[in-house]
Amino acid sequence: MSRRGTPSPGDGAPPLTHRRVEVHRGASGRDADAVDDALALEVPVALVYNGISHAVMMASPADLEEFALGFSLTEGILSHPHECYDLEVHEEPGGLTVQLSIASQRLAELKERRRSLAGRTGCGLCGTEALDQAIRPIPRVRAPALDDDAIQQALGALADHQVLQAATGATHAAAWCEADGRVRLAREDVGRHNALDKLIGALAREGGPSDGGFALVSSRASYEMVHKSASAGIGALVAVSAATSLAVEQAEQAGLLLVGFARPGRHLIYHRPVDASSARAQGC
């Protein structure tokens, strides 16, 4: 796979720009001066499969190969990384394009999905005709026997992997953490879904999630975040903010360990599968 024109951690700088801004201080705001402020880059990214444009996403222009691969897997466009034969990132006048070459069977299924969208209006869950189609089936996963100390250790280390957030205050992060709480991989993006897709793409390139590990996200745990995690074979999701009701329901269906409001010294366990509870009690 090749890539062109997009910054990455290896390029030595996060994807950001700077702008001169006014800073007002005091209750009245009368004390003011001007400073340079770092801004996280947000650009249109088009995903093109075998020459067919499928979606345009607003994203941070880093780790786009991993983003495209992760998105393709979590959206069901691909069922396995090896179904993506090639991937290239190109600069365009209006943004960036990720060109993916995928298996012919997957392309045929994608075309059929696109045909089902023709003639429809409205927004929201595109491609659905009835309420029972709004929520996709979620695969079963195996939840690890996650220790509370591991969650807290990973949480304490997350900030060290948020270079873009430290510079701009405008991005989310998704991290893969080992069973002992060590953060092994982390990806950032202006969008929480994008950050998780980037992480999932990075994991897919390494052979998938490791046993006993978990994903940590700097956002809430929504339906989409739980579904993406389970689709990638991730058995535990820890979120810094709350979980939604549908996220908990989906975690129960998938057998996924779901933790929210992860803050220093405390976290909430919304769902712990019985098998994970038993293994934890036995010290496995």
Side-chain angles (χ1 to χ4, degrees):
M1 297 183 184
S2 58
R3 59 188 306 278
R4 300 170 190 168
T6 59
S8 72
D11 294 327
L16 53 82
T17 186
H18 292 81
R19 182 183 180 89
R20 199 73 173 172
V21 297
E22 293 183 3
V23 179
H24 290 256
R25 300 183 178 86
S28 65
R30 292 178 180 176
D31 297 328
D33 54 17
V35 299
D36 282 335
D37 186 53
L39 301 174
L41 285 176
E42 183 177 20
V43 301
V45 178
L47 302 180
V48 180
Y49 296 87
N50 292 25
I52 299 174
S53 181
H54 175 68
V56 177
M57 314 288 286
M58 301 304 295
S60 301
D63 307 306
L64 290 183
E65 306 95 325
E66 295 168 349
F67 168 58
L69 180 58
F71 176 89
S72 301
L73 292 168
T74 61
E75 292 299 313
I77 297 171
L78 302 178
S79 61
H80 193 280
H82 70 233
E83 293 174 330
C84 179
Y85 301 146
D86 194 22
L87 188 158
E88 293 184 354
V89 180
H90 300 272
E91 287 187 274
E92 306 288 348
L96 297 164
T97 297
V98 186
Q99 299 276 356
L100 298 95
S101 175
I102 64 175
S104 57
Q105 178 60 35
R106 296 305 171 203
L107 179 62
E109 294 172 358
L110 181 59
K111 287 181 177 179
E112 183 60 33
R113 181 188 303 184
R114 288 176 56 81
R115 276 195 292 271
S116 72
L117 297 176
R120 297 184 187 162
T121 61
C123 219
L125 291 170
C126 299
T128 60
E129 293 180 318
L131 290 175
D132 59 3
Q133 296 176 341
I135 302 174
R136 292 179 292 162
I138 189 168
R140 294 283 301 179
V141 293
R142 181 178 179 182
L146 192 56
D147 187 84
D148 293 339
D149 289 340
I151 295 175
Q152 288 297 313
Q153 180 172 327
L155 184 65
L158 182 61
D160 294 336
H161 299 269
Q162 292 181 272
V163 177
L164 190 54
Q165 169 67 6
T168 67
T171 60
H172 282 293
W176 179 252
C177 312
E178 300 293 358
D180 60 2
R182 178 174 55 89
V183 176
R184 182 164 65 85
L185 286 173
R187 295 293 183 265
E188 292 184 275
D189 197 275
V190 291
R192 56 193 174 92
H193 299 137
N194 298 346
L196 184 56
D197 278 333
K198 287 180 178 181
L199 176 67
I200 289 171
L203 288 171
R205 286 183 159 186
E206 295 189 0
S210 54
D211 291 339
F214 61 99
L216 171 62
V217 295
S218 65
S219 64
R220 70 180 184 272
S222 62
Y223 155 73
E224 296 97 336
M225 302 297 273
V226 170
H227 201 285
K228 284 179 179 292
S229 297
S231 297
I234 294 173
L237 176 65
V238 178
V240 169
S241 295
T244 66
S245 61
L246 188 53
V248 176
E249 293 174 13
Q250 289 286 288
E252 291 172 346
Q253 291 183 28
L256 178 141
L257 173 60
L258 182 60
V259 179
F261 274 125
R263 308 293 170 84
R266 66 184 294 271
H267 51 266
L268 303 181
I269 298 178
Y270 289 100
H271 178 250
R272 190 195 298 274
V274 175
D275 53 350
S277 300
S278 300
R280 185 168 182 264
Q282 296 170 8
C284 299

